[in-house]
Amino acid sequence: MATARRFLPPTLLLHSFEAAARLESFTAAARELHLTQSAISRHIRALEQQLGADLFVRDRQTVRLTLAGEAYAREVREALRHIATATLGFRANPTGGAINLGVLPTFGAQWLAPRLPDFMRAHPDITINLMSRPLPFDFSGDTLHAAIHFGAAEWTGAEMDFLMSEQVVATCSPTLLAHHGFRTPSDLLDAPLLHLVSRPDAWERWFAAQGVEALKVHGMLCDQFTFIAQAAAAGAGVALLPRFLAADLLESGRLVELPGRTLPSEGAYYLAYPANHGSYGPFQTFRAWLLKTAMPHGPTA
């Protein structure tokens, strides 16, 4: 680190630069950081001197980032975010370990969160921090130790542990069922169908599995299972939902399962993590618990 240290500007300068870059104003940055405008200006100048180049173009009473300044601002902002996240994680559990886990919003809310208290009781020294991550990302540029992934077992630069498969069922509200009187899968051809943006062919696949030809399947688009489930429960249409995510709504009677074969999803749920995180003690403990908890649900989840 002796060589790298001379490339690390003081944090105070970086905070002033980040605020000025984001707000495009030294005055606004001074107001946010409770400093004077001249102090912000001095910090920016000192940083520019250390870098050997201008970060801002100064034009009368306005400033704007240079092209190189824009790139540097993005990197600095991300680095400061990493430091803040690490500090927050340490303060949340200074005597144990913390795991930052990326989760699919609906899976996290409907399946993982209700089970986490069991892990917390068994391992009170480990803190689990949940962050929404609907798509794969580069672990090397993030603070997450692992993530829950749905789809194929493909994630560049990551190890993959199978958690569970998924069975999809057709559901609707009791009111919609009473109104339309659905008796067979083909009856759904004329029903208002709810579609998930990330699974655009789900209804075509479901009808094909029932032996029903479906030339046109129109309806409302949603980008989260949570939206589709609540829309279906409110009577807005018929939804294809993973059985384990719809369990509470089915049990409460807000949704009913319609006639037809259940459809295995093409993808599955996986725990993705970079190989260098596999040796982190708290993560090893959480990984073992998650695999044990998920496996009983695998084939029929």
Side-chain angles (χ1 to χ4, degrees):
M1 289 298 294
T3 302
R5 189 174 295 120
R6 61 193 178 92
F7 297 114
L8 297 177
T11 305
L12 179 61
L13 305 189
L14 296 177
H15 272 297
S16 294
F17 167 65
E18 189 282 326
R22 174 167 39 83
L23 300 171
E24 298 183 330
S25 167
F26 289 6
T27 301
R31 187 180 305 115
E32 180 178 288
L33 299 178
H34 303 290
L35 298 171
T36 64
Q37 191 273 344
S38 60
I40 295 293
S41 183
R42 288 197 303 273
H43 294 166
I44 300 301
R45 278 300 185 192
L47 184 57
E48 289 175 329
Q49 288 174 4
Q50 183 168 351
L51 294 171
D54 288 342
L55 292 165
F56 290 91
V57 175
R58 295 160 174 83
D59 184 13
R60 297 182 182 180
Q61 300 300 313
T62 64
V63 295
R64 68 179 188 277
L65 287 165
T66 64
L67 289 177
E70 290 180 2
Y72 189 58
R74 288 193 295 270
E75 297 288 347
V76 167
R77 185 172 298 115
E78 189 67 13
L80 291 174
R81 185 180 70 83
H82 284 187
I83 294 171
T85 300
T87 303
L88 180 62
F90 182 86
R91 292 183 62 182
N93 191 1
T95 61
I99 299 169
N100 298 328
L101 181 68
V103 296
L104 303 167
T106 304
F107 181 90
Q110 298 295 323
W111 190 88
L112 181 59
R115 291 166 171 79
L116 275 181
D118 291 339
F119 177 84
M120 295 166 64
R121 283 189 291 269
H123 306 282
D125 57 331
I126 299 177
T127 300
I128 307 296
N129 303 315
L130 302 181
M131 286 82 168
S132 176
R133 288 291 193 281
L135 297 173
F137 55 89
D138 183 0
F139 277 107
S140 65
D142 209 294
T143 60
L144 297 185
H145 295 98
I148 304 298
H149 167 68
F150 178 83
E154 300 172 354
W155 190 312
T156 302
E159 304 287 332
M160 306 287 281
D161 289 336
F162 173 82
L163 295 178
M164 64 178 70
S165 57
E166 181 184 81
Q167 298 289 330
V168 176
V169 295
T171 65
C172 75
S173 70
T175 302
L176 194 71
L177 176 60
H179 178 75
H180 287 274
F182 305 126
R183 295 179 180 275
T184 66
S186 60
D187 291 339
L188 301 187
L189 289 171
D190 297 323
L193 303 178
L194 304 176
H195 300 263
L196 189 67
V197 173
S198 61
R199 304 185 188 187
D201 63 341
W203 274 111
E204 285 89 344
R205 293 182 61 247
W206 186 85
F207 278 117
Q210 316 307 318
V212 176
E213 184 179 12
L215 299 178
K216 296 180 180 180
V217 284
H218 301 302
M220 181 191 302
L221 286 173
C222 300
D223 69 351
Q224 297 288 340
F225 269 127
T226 301
F227 300 155
I228 282 187
Q230 293 303 320
V238 182
L240 287 176
L241 296 173
R243 189 190 297 278
F244 75 98
L245 293 181
D248 288 345
L249 290 171
L250 290 169
E251 185 176 346
S252 68
R254 294 184 63 202
L255 285 179
V256 293
E257 186 174 335
L258 298 176
R261 296 171 53 195
T262 60
L263 179 68
S265 292
E266 293 183 321
Y269 290 92
Y270 296 88
L271 177 66
Y273 56 94
N276 63 318
H277 288 175
S279 59
Y280 178 47
F283 174 68
Q284 289 179 328
T285 301
F286 174 74
R287 174 174 173 258
W289 171 84
L290 183 62
L291 292 175
K292 181 179 179 180
T293 303
M295 283 304 183
H297 302 268
T300 59

PDB file of all heavy atoms in Angstrom, residues 276-290:
ATOM      1  N   ASN A 276     -13.867 -16.087  -4.241  1.00  0.00           N
ATOM      2  CA  ASN A 276     -13.070 -15.594  -3.113  1.00  0.00           C
ATOM      3  C   ASN A 276     -13.916 -15.289  -1.881  1.00  0.00           C
ATOM      4  O   ASN A 276     -13.392 -15.112  -0.790  1.00  0.00           O
ATOM      5  CB  ASN A 276     -12.282 -14.346  -3.522  1.00  0.00           C
ATOM      6  CG  ASN A 276     -13.172 -13.186  -3.911  1.00  0.00           C
ATOM      7  OD1 ASN A 276     -14.175 -13.376  -4.595  1.00  0.00           O
ATOM      8  ND2 ASN A 276     -12.810 -11.991  -3.502  1.00  0.00           N
ATOM      9  N   HIS A 277     -15.255 -15.244  -2.028  1.00  0.00           N
ATOM     10  CA  HIS A 277     -16.119 -15.031  -0.867  1.00  0.00           C
ATOM     11  C   HIS A 277     -16.483 -16.355  -0.193  1.00  0.00           C
ATOM     12  O   HIS A 277     -17.018 -16.359   0.917  1.00  0.00           O
ATOM     13  CB  HIS A 277     -17.397 -14.300  -1.278  1.00  0.00           C
ATOM     14  CG  HIS A 277     -17.174 -12.864  -1.610  1.00  0.00           C
ATOM     15  ND1 HIS A 277     -18.172 -12.047  -2.108  1.00  0.00           N
ATOM     16  CD2 HIS A 277     -16.070 -12.088  -1.513  1.00  0.00           C
ATOM     17  CE1 HIS A 277     -17.686 -10.838  -2.311  1.00  0.00           C
ATOM     18  NE2 HIS A 277     -16.412 -10.850  -1.960  1.00  0.00           N
ATOM     19  N   GLY A 278     -16.224 -17.475  -0.867  1.00  0.00           N
ATOM     20  CA  GLY A 278     -16.617 -18.768  -0.327  1.00  0.00           C
ATOM     21  C   GLY A 278     -15.917 -19.130   0.967  1.00  0.00           C
ATOM     22  O   GLY A 278     -16.421 -19.949   1.742  1.00  0.00           O
ATOM     23  N   SER A 279     -14.751 -18.526   1.218  1.00  0.00           N
ATOM     24  CA  SER A 279     -13.999 -18.847   2.429  1.00  0.00           C
ATOM     25  C   SER A 279     -14.314 -17.910   3.592  1.00  0.00           C
ATOM     26  O   SER A 279     -13.773 -18.072   4.680  1.00  0.00           O
ATOM     27  CB  SER A 279     -12.493 -18.790   2.133  1.00  0.00           C
ATOM     28  OG  SER A 279     -12.119 -17.502   1.676  1.00  0.00           O
ATOM     29  N   TYR A 280     -15.185 -16.927   3.362  1.00  0.00           N
ATOM     30  CA  TYR A 280     -15.569 -15.978   4.417  1.00  0.00           C
ATOM     31  C   TYR A 280     -16.474 -16.687   5.418  1.00  0.00           C
ATOM     32  O   TYR A 280     -17.550 -17.167   5.068  1.00  0.00           O
ATOM     33  CB  TYR A 280     -16.263 -14.784   3.776  1.00  0.00           C
ATOM     34  CG  TYR A 280     -16.775 -13.731   4.715  1.00  0.00           C
ATOM     35  CD1 TYR A 280     -15.996 -13.233   5.756  1.00  0.00           C
ATOM     36  CD2 TYR A 280     -18.058 -13.203   4.550  1.00  0.00           C
ATOM     37  CE1 TYR A 280     -16.470 -12.247   6.607  1.00  0.00           C
ATOM     38  CE2 TYR A 280     -18.543 -12.213   5.386  1.00  0.00           C
ATOM     39  CZ  TYR A 280     -17.742 -11.749   6.414  1.00  0.00           C
ATOM     40  OH  TYR A 280     -18.216 -10.764   7.258  1.00  0.00           O
ATOM     41  N   GLY A 281     -16.035 -16.782   6.678  1.00  0.00           N
ATOM     42  CA  GLY A 281     -16.732 -17.573   7.682  1.00  0.00           C
ATOM     43  C   GLY A 281     -18.226 -17.324   7.787  1.00  0.00           C
ATOM     44  O   GLY A 281     -19.025 -18.270   7.708  1.00  0.00           O
ATOM     45  N   PRO A 282     -18.660 -16.069   7.994  1.00  0.00           N
ATOM     46  CA  PRO A 282     -20.102 -15.816   8.095  1.00  0.00           C
ATOM     47  C   PRO A 282     -20.866 -16.250   6.849  1.00  0.00           C
ATOM     48  O   PRO A 282     -21.984 -16.773   6.956  1.00  0.00           O
ATOM     49  CB  PRO A 282     -20.160 -14.294   8.276  1.00  0.00           C
ATOM     50  CG  PRO A 282     -18.861 -13.953   8.933  1.00  0.00           C
ATOM     51  CD  PRO A 282     -17.859 -14.876   8.305  1.00  0.00           C
ATOM     52  N   PHE A 283     -20.251 -16.075   5.664  1.00  0.00           N
ATOM     53  CA  PHE A 283     -20.939 -16.505   4.447  1.00  0.00           C
ATOM     54  C   PHE A 283     -21.041 -18.025   4.379  1.00  0.00           C
ATOM     55  O   PHE A 283     -22.060 -18.570   3.950  1.00  0.00           O
ATOM     56  CB  PHE A 283     -20.231 -15.977   3.200  1.00  0.00           C
ATOM     57  CG  PHE A 283     -20.825 -16.508   1.925  1.00  0.00           C
ATOM     58  CD1 PHE A 283     -22.097 -16.127   1.528  1.00  0.00           C
ATOM     59  CD2 PHE A 283     -20.138 -17.419   1.137  1.00  0.00           C
ATOM     60  CE1 PHE A 283     -22.676 -16.629   0.363  1.00  0.00           C
ATOM     61  CE2 PHE A 283     -20.704 -17.930  -0.016  1.00  0.00           C
ATOM     62  CZ  PHE A 283     -21.966 -17.528  -0.406  1.00  0.00           C
ATOM     63  N   GLN A 284     -19.992 -18.741   4.805  1.00  0.00           N
ATOM     64  CA  GLN A 284     -20.056 -20.197   4.829  1.00  0.00           C
ATOM     65  C   GLN A 284     -21.222 -20.669   5.690  1.00  0.00           C
ATOM     66  O   GLN A 284     -21.942 -21.607   5.331  1.00  0.00           O
ATOM     67  CB  GLN A 284     -18.739 -20.772   5.353  1.00  0.00           C
ATOM     68  CG  GLN A 284     -17.561 -20.629   4.410  1.00  0.00           C
ATOM     69  CD  GLN A 284     -16.282 -21.196   5.008  1.00  0.00           C
ATOM     70  OE1 GLN A 284     -16.079 -21.155   6.217  1.00  0.00           O
ATOM     71  NE2 GLN A 284     -15.415 -21.729   4.158  1.00  0.00           N
ATOM     72  N   THR A 285     -21.395 -20.016   6.834  1.00  0.00           N
ATOM     73  CA  THR A 285     -22.484 -20.385   7.744  1.00  0.00           C
ATOM     74  C   THR A 285     -23.843 -20.116   7.102  1.00  0.00           C
ATOM     75  O   THR A 285     -24.757 -20.959   7.154  1.00  0.00           O
ATOM     76  CB  THR A 285     -22.369 -19.592   9.055  1.00  0.00           C
ATOM     77  OG1 THR A 285     -21.102 -19.882   9.662  1.00  0.00           O
ATOM     78  CG2 THR A 285     -23.491 -19.956  10.019  1.00  0.00           C
ATOM     79  N   PHE A 286     -23.994 -18.940   6.494  1.00  0.00           N
ATOM     80  CA  PHE A 286     -25.266 -18.596   5.865  1.00  0.00           C
ATOM     81  C   PHE A 286     -25.540 -19.502   4.672  1.00  0.00           C
ATOM     82  O   PHE A 286     -26.678 -19.955   4.480  1.00  0.00           O
ATOM     83  CB  PHE A 286     -25.246 -17.136   5.409  1.00  0.00           C
ATOM     84  CG  PHE A 286     -26.465 -16.737   4.622  1.00  0.00           C
ATOM     85  CD1 PHE A 286     -27.677 -16.534   5.260  1.00  0.00           C
ATOM     86  CD2 PHE A 286     -26.401 -16.594   3.239  1.00  0.00           C
ATOM     87  CE1 PHE A 286     -28.813 -16.185   4.535  1.00  0.00           C
ATOM     88  CE2 PHE A 286     -27.527 -16.245   2.513  1.00  0.00           C
ATOM     89  CZ  PHE A 286     -28.731 -16.040   3.166  1.00  0.00           C
ATOM     90  N   ARG A 287     -24.527 -19.773   3.869  1.00  0.00           N
ATOM     91  CA  ARG A 287     -24.698 -20.630   2.690  1.00  0.00           C
ATOM     92  C   ARG A 287     -25.199 -22.008   3.099  1.00  0.00           C
ATOM     93  O   ARG A 287     -26.130 -22.551   2.490  1.00  0.00           O
ATOM     94  CB  ARG A 287     -23.379 -20.730   1.931  1.00  0.00           C
ATOM     95  CG  ARG A 287     -23.387 -21.700   0.763  1.00  0.00           C
ATOM     96  CD  ARG A 287     -22.085 -21.610  -0.019  1.00  0.00           C
ATOM     97  NE  ARG A 287     -22.012 -22.641  -1.033  1.00  0.00           N
ATOM     98  CZ  ARG A 287     -21.309 -23.761  -0.927  1.00  0.00           C
ATOM     99  NH1 ARG A 287     -20.596 -23.991   0.167  1.00  0.00           N
ATOM    100  NH2 ARG A 287     -21.298 -24.647  -1.906  1.00  0.00           N
ATOM    101  N   ALA A 288     -24.583 -22.586   4.141  1.00  0.00           N
ATOM    102  CA  ALA A 288     -25.004 -23.911   4.593  1.00  0.00           C
ATOM    103  C   ALA A 288     -26.451 -23.892   5.065  1.00  0.00           C
ATOM    104  O   ALA A 288     -27.238 -24.805   4.761  1.00  0.00           O
ATOM    105  CB  ALA A 288     -24.080 -24.385   5.720  1.00  0.00           C
ATOM    106  N   TRP A 289     -26.835 -22.846   5.791  1.00  0.00           N
ATOM    107  CA  TRP A 289     -28.222 -22.731   6.266  1.00  0.00           C
ATOM    108  C   TRP A 289     -29.187 -22.569   5.099  1.00  0.00           C
ATOM    109  O   TRP A 289     -30.249 -23.214   5.064  1.00  0.00           O
ATOM    110  CB  TRP A 289     -28.342 -21.538   7.214  1.00  0.00           C
ATOM    111  CG  TRP A 289     -29.762 -21.225   7.584  1.00  0.00           C
ATOM    112  CD1 TRP A 289     -30.514 -21.796   8.566  1.00  0.00           C
ATOM    113  CD2 TRP A 289     -30.622 -20.264   6.927  1.00  0.00           C
ATOM    114  NE1 TRP A 289     -31.777 -21.254   8.577  1.00  0.00           N
ATOM    115  CE2 TRP A 289     -31.872 -20.321   7.583  1.00  0.00           C
ATOM    116  CE3 TRP A 289     -30.445 -19.368   5.870  1.00  0.00           C
ATOM    117  CZ2 TRP A 289     -32.945 -19.500   7.211  1.00  0.00           C
ATOM    118  CZ3 TRP A 289     -31.514 -18.570   5.490  1.00  0.00           C
ATOM    119  CH2 TRP A 289     -32.743 -18.633   6.162  1.00  0.00           C
ATOM    120  N   LEU A 290     -28.833 -21.728   4.128  1.00  0.00           N
ATOM    121  CA  LEU A 290     -29.728 -21.471   3.000  1.00  0.00           C
ATOM    122  C   LEU A 290     -29.942 -22.732   2.172  1.00  0.00           C
ATOM    123  O   LEU A 290     -31.078 -23.041   1.787  1.00  0.00           O
ATOM    124  CB  LEU A 290     -29.161 -20.353   2.128  1.00  0.00           C
ATOM    125  CG  LEU A 290     -30.018 -19.917   0.938  1.00  0.00           C
ATOM    126  CD1 LEU A 290     -31.354 -19.359   1.417  1.00  0.00           C
ATOM    127  CD2 LEU A 290     -29.275 -18.886   0.093  1.00  0.00           C
TER     128      LEU A 290
END
